[in-house]
């Protein structure tokens, strides 16, 4: 093939390559979009399995049974009863009795060893599950810490200051819990978002074309200029 014929063919090859690059980039964008949507759908299905899984709660241990035996919205571990005054317990219970959402407090010794038979999270779950009433539950530990949980509602964080004297801490905690709302416990995960950043499939293809035009084509022109310059120097 003569040099006269090779020149036009070479120039046509450059432009054909540029078009092929834009088309390939657009097709790749569509494939990646489909893969992303399939991955999101699979992720929602996996999270749905977690929502539907029910954990087995072991029967209450002795310390929890002592709380359940008390007909009170504020249950106190018999081993700690001398640390709180009856007046403070009564004040806290009166506050919870007027709460729009059922709420209960348990004052319990923090499990510093495994010999007590319960864990910080396990005690709260055993107690709330055994009570069974829909509402908020908080275990106030004797070290001032708290462990909130709920039955049939979303758990709520504790913001009240619970350090210091346990009696006043019970009252402060009860006052905060009385303001908590009843947010139903979610039973299904969020569905995969159907919102497309580019609007729709056509918008996505248009965006891919624009990115190809402003990304692939300039790169092609720079490469073409560079190769042409090298060839002219070599000639």
């Amino acid at each position: 093939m003569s040099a006269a014929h090779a020149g036009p063919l070479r120039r046509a090859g450059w432009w054909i390559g540029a078009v092929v690059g834009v088309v390939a980039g657009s097709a790749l964008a569509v494939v990646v979009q489909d893969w992303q949507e399939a991955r999101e759908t699979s992720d929602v299905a996996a999270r749905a399995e977690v929502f539907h899984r029910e954990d087995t709660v072991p029967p209450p241990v002795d310390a929890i049974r002592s709380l359940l035996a008390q007909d009170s919205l504020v249950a106190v571990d018999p081993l700690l009863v001398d640390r709180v005054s009856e007046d403070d317990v009564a004040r806290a219970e009166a506050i919870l009795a007027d709460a729009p959402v059922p709420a209960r407090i348990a004052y319990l010794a923090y499990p510093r060893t495994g010999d007590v038979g319960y864990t910080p999270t396990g005690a709260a779950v055993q107690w709330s599950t055994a009570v069974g009433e829909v509402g908020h539950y908080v275990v106030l530990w004797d070290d001032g810490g708290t462990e909130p949980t709920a039955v049939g509602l979303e758990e709520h964080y504790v913001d009240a200051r619970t350090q210091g004297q346990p009696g006043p801490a019970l009252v402060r905690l009860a006052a905060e819990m009385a303001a908590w709302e009843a947010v139903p416990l979610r039973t299904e995960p969020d569905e995969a978002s159907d919102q497309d950043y580019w609007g729709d499939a056509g918008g996505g293809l248009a965006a891919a074309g624009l990115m190809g035009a402003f990304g692939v084509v300039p790169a092609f022109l720079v490469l073409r200029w560079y190769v042409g310059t090298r060839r002219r120097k070599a000639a």
Side-chain angles (χ1 to χ4, degrees):
M1 182 181 297
S2 65
H5 289 86
L9 289 177
R10 184 180 298 113
R11 287 192 293 272
W14 278 104
W15 289 109
I16 292 172
V19 173
V20 170
V22 172
V23 173
S26 301
L28 180 61
V30 174
V31 172
V32 171
Q33 175 68 18
D34 291 341
W35 171 80
Q36 178 67 17
E37 291 178 354
R39 190 176 67 87
E40 289 180 353
T41 301
S42 176
D43 181 62
V44 170
R47 287 187 286 118
E49 292 182 1
V50 175
F51 271 84
H52 297 155
R53 184 178 61 209
E54 295 184 2
D55 295 329
T56 301
V57 179
V61 296
D62 292 343
I64 306 304
R65 284 198 293 268
S66 69
L67 300 177
L68 297 172
Q70 303 176 41
D71 184 18
S72 173
L73 298 178
V74 180
V76 180
D77 186 343
L79 299 177
L80 305 176
V81 70
D82 59 339
R83 299 190 186 182
V84 293
S85 69
E86 294 182 0
D87 290 341
D88 286 332
V89 174
R91 288 176 59 196
E93 183 162 4
I95 294 173
L96 294 181
D98 292 334
V101 180
R104 294 173 180 266
I105 301 175
Y107 182 47
L108 191 61
Y110 186 83
R112 294 172 177 80
T113 67
D115 298 336
V116 295
Y118 59 86
T119 62
T121 56
V125 173
Q126 284 186 5
W127 171 52
S128 60
T129 301
V131 173
E133 180 184 16
V134 173
H136 295 291
Y137 297 76
V138 174
V139 173
L140 173 63
W141 302 111
D142 61 344
D143 64 356
T146 57
E147 181 63 34
T149 187
V151 173
L153 302 175
E154 291 288 347
E155 294 182 8
H156 204 292
Y157 291 106
V158 174
D159 295 324
R161 183 173 61 86
T162 54
Q163 302 293 331
Q165 294 297 318
L170 282 174
V171 176
R172 292 192 297 269
L173 179 57
E176 179 187 344
M177 294 179 67
W180 289 356
E181 298 178 350
V183 180
L185 184 66
R186 295 176 57 193
T187 58
E188 295 290 342
D190 292 335
E191 294 292 336
S193 175
D194 58 356
Q195 293 185 349
D196 191 335
Y197 181 81
W198 301 108
D200 52 23
L205 290 174
L210 287 174
M211 287 185 286
F214 289 100
V216 175
V217 172
F220 155 74
L221 293 175
V222 171
L223 180 62
R224 187 174 184 274
W225 170 82
Y226 175 75
V227 172
T229 301
R230 293 291 301 268
R231 284 178 175 171
R232 285 193 295 273
K233 289 181 178 180

